[in-house]
Amino acid sequence: MTNGISRAFTLTAGTSRFVGRSPLLLGVLLLGACATRPGPLGALSNIVVTGSGVDNERDALLCDGFKPDAQQLRVFFRHAVLITPRQEHDFFLHGPCYVRGTLTTRYDSWHWELRNGGTARVTSAAGDDSFLLADPREESSLGDE
């Protein structure tokens, strides 16, 4: 299993001598390779958190630490994949904590709700289109139990 960086940036004999003398350049090139994958929504702008909450007050202490900032949200949306409601049910936990907000893509403005179980629902500003996203790193299949 690779992290994708080795495929995106391969040193040749000529570049390795140059990059070897400049660790900063290597870091910039590697970060550039990571930033090229925008996720299923494409490039995002204006990520705004408008609220947060909990489904049941007895879980309030659990949700105190669930306060993702704009950068953490950007990382989630970059890693997220489109899923079906059945996949959400079978492979992800429905966390009691949520954060809501808005964001803008090339094509529209969207409302989103991110759950602490690693899933999100994204709905168009007009309310007529909606889909589910999940971060595969948060998958918690109970199929083997």
Side-chain angles (χ1 to χ4, degrees):
M1 183 189 296
T2 67
N3 60 8
I5 293 174
S6 61
R7 291 188 201 147
F9 181 75
T10 305
L11 292 175
T12 63
T15 58
S16 64
R17 276 184 265 125
F18 178 70
V19 173
R21 294 185 185 126
S22 178
L24 179 61
L25 177 60
L26 176 61
V28 169
L29 290 172
L30 290 175
L31 284 174
C34 294
T36 59
R37 183 176 171 261
L41 297 178
L44 306 178
S45 61
N46 303 322
I47 299 175
V48 177
V49 174
T50 59
S52 62
V54 60
D55 290 337
N56 189 324
E57 286 304 316
R58 72 172 184 249
D59 294 320
L61 288 176
L62 172 70
C63 297
D64 278 346
F66 186 65
K67 308 250 186 272
D69 61 24
Q71 182 59 32
Q72 291 168 318
L73 292 164
R74 191 173 299 281
V75 169
F76 169 83
F77 286 117
R78 185 180 326 126
H79 286 98
V81 296
L82 289 169
I83 61 169
T84 66
R86 179 65 179 209
Q87 290 167 326
E88 179 185 37
H89 175 270
D90 291 351
F91 300 110
F92 295 91
L93 297 176
H94 185 80
C97 316
Y98 61 84
V99 175
R100 293 181 178 144
T102 58
L103 60 82
T104 304
T105 68
R106 177 179 175 184
Y107 301 106
D108 206 350
S109 294
W110 301 87
H111 298 278
W112 52 265
E113 179 180 273
L114 175 66
R115 292 281 175 164
N116 67 318
T119 62
R121 177 172 301 277
V122 180
T123 306
S124 66
D128 54 353
D129 290 311
S130 182
F131 53 91
L132 293 170
L133 298 172
D135 185 340
R137 300 173 302 172
E138 298 292 326
E139 186 175 325
S140 58
S141 173
L142 301 176
D144 294 334
E145 293 184 0

